[in-house]
């Protein structure tokens, strides 16, 4: 499915590196299908926008239960790519003067005035929430947090212990984006879902769809949602799995949509934005500010740098921006390059989606698309043979990981009631954890000591910091 991508002007900006590699758009459908089959992905979408033209491709089925084919309009869970949309929504209110990036949160969320004195959360700012530097745990949970607004969530956050003082370091936090949902509600005078619909999605021509929508009597038209699937290394048929995302995490990971929707939103950041009929939704200054790296935000395990709701990945000839997301049995990836007016998005309803993305990036780079990509190399230092110094429980909010020896004598990184990862620790304190049950990418992370040669204090992976208990 290829064609014009909506209103484009007569003279779009010239890209610094010129056009896409010769023959790429012709080869893309077959390459996409080949890689999806190789990695046994149940269903996926790929969208490429470049300099005024959209190329959209669909593969596989929405669910093994129904066999319904994936179309370009099928909704896939965006997971954490929802944060890109929430950040864009926040920056709309910043551009209008309704939100100050550096105002302490107590000025916007009075519930935080009751935060314990040591947490510092009330002094954190919107800028720090957007850049994951507010010192928040990754998530908090509880049945009392689920409601048609974020007021209860704010009250619970006020009592949650902090990881560190605001601004000290980077630690990826869903909690911060849920608080941004409350910030939007305070500025807009409406719930986050309604603000997202009316201020961003509807104007962009994107049909709003959520994993959870608490608004009573919603008359939105139904949109087919792809199921999540677990793919096992032994070749067994894919199994449907739950997306495992609570209502309270909506502003951080509850949006759904298509790969076409993703590149549509990405056009607000491209150099040909003047030809985009909806470029006024996010002024150019705010779009640029979203992409600027935040000093002190070191997203180890995620990206080369972090801005306000968007990550940076270095390529050989420039920087690409984007976001990645995953929920149970589904994944989503977005990359954009402003200078060449290019955006690429992949959605997949399978635990094999991340492997498909890695393979796709590798193939595209091999044929000449300088797609920025961050990937931690496997550690090269020797393996630790006496791992006792690393044993223990590491926590970030309700996420608890345990380093331990299993009954089989192997070393494991265990998440209770979720998964056991076979663990290898190296003498430079980096580690690799592999899931032997599901065909997913290995986790590469590191242990952090209180001081050189001192005791282990933190475990870091995927941009998150977990304190040793």
């Amino acid at each position: 499915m290829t064609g014009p991508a909506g209103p484009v002007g007569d003279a779009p900006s010239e890209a610094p590196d010129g056009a896409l590699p010769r023959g790429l758009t012709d080869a893309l459908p077959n390459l996409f299908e080949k890689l999806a089959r190789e990695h046994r992905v149940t269903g996926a979408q790929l969208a490429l926008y470049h300099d005024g033209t959209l190329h959209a491709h669909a593969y596989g089925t929405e669910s093994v239960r129904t066999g319904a084919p994936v179309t370009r309009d099928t909704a896939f869970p965006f997971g954490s790519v929802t944060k890109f949309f929430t950040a864009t929504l926040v920056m709309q209110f910043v551009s209008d003067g309704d939100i100050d990036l550096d105002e302490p949160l107590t000025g916007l969320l009075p519930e935080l005035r009751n935060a314990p004195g040591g947490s510092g959360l009330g002094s954190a700012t919107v800028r720090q929430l957007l850049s994951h530097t507010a010192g928040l745990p990754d998530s908090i949970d509880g049945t009392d947090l689920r409601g048609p607004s974020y007021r209860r969530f704010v009250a619970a956050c006020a009592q949650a212990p902090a990881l560190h003082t605001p601004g000290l370091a980077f630690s990826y936090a869903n909690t911060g984006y849920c608080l941004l949902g409350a910030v939007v509600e305070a500025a807009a005078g409406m719930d986050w879902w309604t603000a997202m619909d009316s201020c961003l999605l509807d104007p962009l021509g994107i049909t709003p769809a959520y994993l959870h929508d608490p608004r009573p009597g919603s008359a939105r038209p139904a949109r087919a949602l792809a199921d999540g699937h677990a793919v096992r290394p032994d070749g067994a048929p894919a199994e449907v799995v739950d997306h495992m995302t609570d209502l309270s995490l909506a502003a951080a990971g509850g949006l759904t949509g298509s790969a076409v929707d993703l590149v549509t939103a990405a056009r607000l950041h491209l150099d040909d934005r003047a030809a985009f009929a909806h470029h006024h939704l996010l002024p150019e200054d705010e779009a640029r500010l979203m992409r600027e790296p935040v000093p002190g935000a070191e997203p180890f395990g995620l990206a080369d740098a972090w801005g306000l709701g968007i990550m940076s990945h270095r390529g050989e000839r420039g920087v690409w921006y984007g976001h990645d997301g995953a929920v149970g049995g589904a994944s989503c990836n977005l990359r954009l390059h402003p200078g060449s007016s290019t955006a690429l998005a992949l959605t997949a309803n399978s635990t094999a989606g991340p492997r498909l993305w890695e393979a796709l990036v590798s193939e595209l780079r091999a044929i000449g698309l300088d797609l920025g990509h961050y990937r931690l190399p496997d550690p090269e230092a020797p393996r630790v043979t006496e791992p006792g110094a690393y044993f223990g429980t590491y926590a970030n909010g309700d996420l608890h990981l345990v380093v331990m020896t299993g009954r089989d004598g192997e070393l494991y990184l265990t998440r209770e009631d979720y998964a056991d990862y076979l663990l290898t620790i190296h003498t430079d304190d980096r580690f690799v954890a592999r899931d032997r049950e599901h065909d997913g990418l290995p986790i590469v992370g590191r242990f952090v000591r209180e001081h050189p040669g001192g005791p282990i204090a933190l475990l870091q992976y995927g941009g998150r910091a977990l304190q040793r208990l």
Side-chain angles (χ1 to χ4, degrees):
M1 291 172 280
T2 303
V8 293
D10 295 331
S13 301
E14 183 178 352
D17 297 322
L20 295 174
R22 187 184 302 275
L24 172 63
T25 56
D26 291 335
L28 198 57
N30 290 336
L31 174 62
F32 171 51
E33 181 171 343
K34 170 178 136 344
L35 294 176
R37 288 185 184 280
E38 285 179 1
H39 293 280
R40 298 187 295 122
V41 171
T42 307
Q45 299 164 324
L46 181 67
L48 172 66
Y49 171 86
H50 174 71
D51 201 21
T53 302
L54 173 69
H55 307 269
H57 311 287
Y59 167 84
T61 59
E62 296 173 350
S63 173
V64 295
R65 292 187 297 192
T66 66
V70 172
T71 71
R72 63 177 285 167
D73 297 317
T74 300
F76 285 69
F78 285 168
S80 285
V81 182
T82 301
K83 295 179 177 69
F84 172 67
F85 287 82
T86 293
T88 302
L89 182 61
V90 168
M91 295 305 288
Q92 287 181 300
F93 287 99
V94 169
S95 70
D96 290 338
D98 296 319
I99 293 176
D100 183 336
L101 285 172
D102 297 310
E103 178 183 358
L105 292 179
T106 49
L108 293 163
L109 306 173
E111 295 90 343
L112 295 182
R113 294 171 189 165
N114 298 321
S119 75
L121 180 56
S123 65
T125 66
V126 173
R127 189 188 302 272
Q128 290 168 340
L129 293 181
L130 287 166
S131 59
H132 298 288
T133 57
L136 289 162
D138 178 49
S139 62
I140 59 174
D141 196 16
T143 56
D144 59 333
L145 305 183
R146 300 168 187 154
S149 79
Y150 271 106
R151 293 189 63 183
R152 294 178 186 173
F153 192 91
V154 176
C157 286
Q159 305 304 315
L163 284 176
H164 57 74
T165 57
L168 181 65
F170 179 99
S171 186
Y172 189 88
N174 286 309
T175 305
Y177 273 75
C178 296
L179 279 178
L180 287 170
V183 167
V184 167
E185 292 179 350
M190 63 184 79
D191 62 77
W192 172 82
W193 290 265
T194 302
M196 179 63 72
D197 288 356
S198 59
C199 297
L200 186 59
L201 300 182
D202 283 339
L204 283 173
I206 296 173
T207 302
Y210 303 90
L211 289 176
H212 305 284
D213 190 338
R215 293 172 292 182
S218 177
R220 290 284 177 188
R223 186 172 185 182
L225 174 65
D227 277 335
H229 298 85
V231 176
R232 303 189 181 280
D234 60 6
E239 299 176 356
V240 173
V241 296
D242 188 83
H243 290 312
M244 297 186 296
T245 299
D246 289 334
L247 170 61
S248 61
L249 293 176
L255 190 60
T256 75
S258 68
V260 171
D261 295 337
L262 291 171
V263 298
T264 298
R267 291 191 63 189
L268 295 170
H269 289 267
L270 305 184
D271 278 8
D272 70 352
R273 51 174 280 131
F276 186 34
H278 310 299
H279 70 274
H280 64 280
L281 292 172
L282 184 68
E284 189 169 358
D285 287 347
E286 278 67 33
R288 185 181 301 110
L289 187 59
M290 286 181 68
R291 302 192 302 269
E292 289 180 359
V294 173
E298 181 191 356
F300 176 84
L302 277 180
D304 291 307
W306 208 279
L308 302 181
I310 194 167
M311 60 177 70
S312 302
H313 298 281
R314 288 192 294 267
E316 294 182 1
R317 297 186 297 276
V319 177
W320 287 69
Y321 304 90
H323 214 296
D324 300 319
V327 297
S331 63
C332 177
N333 307 90
L334 172 66
R335 294 292 182 271
L336 61 97
H337 187 267
S340 62
S341 296
T342 303
L344 178 75
L346 174 72
T347 61
N349 63 348
S350 167
T351 54
R355 287 193 178 277
L356 170 60
W357 173 247
E358 292 286 334
L360 180 66
V361 168
S362 178
E363 292 279 359
L364 292 177
R365 290 169 67 92
I367 61 179
L369 181 62
D370 181 39
L371 189 66
H373 186 54
Y374 174 86
R375 184 176 182 181
L376 282 170
D378 284 349
E380 297 180 355
R383 295 176 60 171
V384 168
T385 56
E386 298 291 338
Y390 301 88
F391 287 175
T393 300
Y394 300 79
N396 179 324
D398 61 357
L399 173 63
H400 288 68
L401 299 177
V402 181
V403 176
M404 59 181 291
T405 300
R407 293 181 179 178
D408 57 1
E410 297 282 3
L411 187 62
Y412 286 95
L413 180 67
T414 297
R415 182 173 177 179
E416 188 177 1
D417 299 327
Y418 184 69
D420 295 324
Y421 296 90
L422 191 62
L423 182 64
T424 303
I425 303 175
H426 297 258
T427 55
D428 60 358
D429 290 334
R430 295 199 177 197
F431 69 81
V432 179
R434 293 179 171 85
D435 185 349
R436 295 196 294 187
E437 292 189 14
H438 302 101
D439 191 17
L441 291 174
I443 297 171
V444 179
R446 66 181 177 182
F447 294 93
V448 179
R449 298 178 182 271
E450 291 183 2
H451 52 80
I456 302 296
L458 297 172
L459 181 155
Q460 291 182 321
Y461 82 98
R464 293 171 173 86
L466 288 81
Q467 291 178 320
R468 189 178 192 182
L469 301 182

